[in-house]
Amino acid sequence: MTSSATAPPQLSGDPVGLLIGGERVTASSGPSHQHIYPATGAPNATVVLAGAAEIDRAVTSAWEAHRHWMSLTVDRRRDLLIDVADAVHDSLDELAALNVHDYAVPISFAGTALLLERFLRHFAGYVDKPHGLSTPVTGSFDVNLVERELRGGRGHHPLERRAGGDGVLRRPGAGRR
C-alpha cells in the first residue's frame, strides 16, 4: 500500500457515523467534524459528532448491552472475545489502512491491530478464571464473586474488567494526552 504525499486518502464520501446500539447513525443533533489527514493537513473524512440526544441513546444502549453481557455465561463471554479476536485477525490489513488514514504513519508502523488481537485473546483467558471470594445467592444457582481491590473492578487492565463483566462508556477524547 502506498499513499501520495500530496493527496490524502479518502475514506468515503459519506459522513462517518456514530454506532449506537448496533445502528449506524449518520445524522445527529451534534455538529460534524472534518477529519484532517496529518500528512497534508487536508480533510479526508467527515465525522458525525454526538449531541445530547445521541449521548442519551448511547448511555441507554450501553446499560442494555451491559445487562446482556452480564447475563451471558463466562464460557460465552470468553468465546465472544475470541470471536472478536478472530474478526480483528481477519481484518488486519483493513485496520492497518485505517491507521494510515488516521495518523499518516507508514503502513509498516500501522500494525497496532495485531496488538489488539493479542490483547483480546489474552484477556479472553481471564473471563473464566475469577479471583476473590465467592458467596452463594439465596434461592439461585448463581454465585457472587467478592473481590476487594484498591482500583475497583476486576483486574487492573480495562479490557480485563470489560471481559469480566464491568460496563464501559467512553467519552470523546478520553485517554488522550
Side-chain angles (χ1 to χ4, degrees):
M1 171 189 231
T2 60
S3 73
S4 168
T6 58
Q10 295 297 311
L11 294 177
S12 76
D14 298 326
V16 178
L18 307 165
L19 186 61
I20 302 174
E23 175 189 345
R24 185 64 65 183
V25 178
T26 57
S28 166
S29 64
S32 62
H33 170 75
Q34 292 292 313
H35 181 273
I36 304 300
Y37 183 59
T40 63
N44 69 341
T46 302
V47 180
V48 175
L49 302 178
E54 292 77 29
I55 292 171
D56 288 343
R57 282 180 55 203
V59 169
T60 300
S61 177
W63 275 111
E64 291 169 4
H66 173 69
R67 281 191 295 275
H68 177 70
W69 182 255
M70 290 299 299
S71 73
L72 300 174
T73 65
V74 292
D75 292 338
R76 182 70 180 129
R77 288 186 215 165
R78 179 201 57 226
D79 293 347
L80 285 170
L81 286 173
I82 291 170
D83 289 347
V84 173
D86 290 343
V88 168
H89 178 80
D90 293 343
S91 302
L92 287 175
D93 291 340
E94 181 183 356
L95 293 168
L98 285 173
N99 270 342
V100 171
H101 288 276
D102 201 18
Y103 304 113
V105 296
I107 192 68
S108 60
F109 294 123
T112 56
L114 182 59
L115 295 175
L116 172 60
E117 177 195 358
R118 289 177 182 166
F119 276 149
L120 287 166
R121 292 189 194 288
H122 175 81
F123 287 112
Y126 278 94
V127 174
D128 59 356
K129 295 165 190 67
H131 305 281
L133 306 172
S134 60
T135 59
V137 178
T138 304
S140 173
F141 292 107
D142 293 340
V143 175
N144 281 333
L145 178 67
V146 179
E147 186 172 328
R148 298 188 192 335
E149 291 189 12
L150 294 176
R151 293 172 172 267
R154 176 188 169 118
H156 298 293
H157 191 278
L159 186 53
E160 183 181 354
R161 292 192 299 269
R162 297 305 82 74
D166 292 355
V168 63
L169 178 65
R170 186 166 170 89
R171 65 177 171 78
R176 294 184 187 170
R177 297 192 199 297

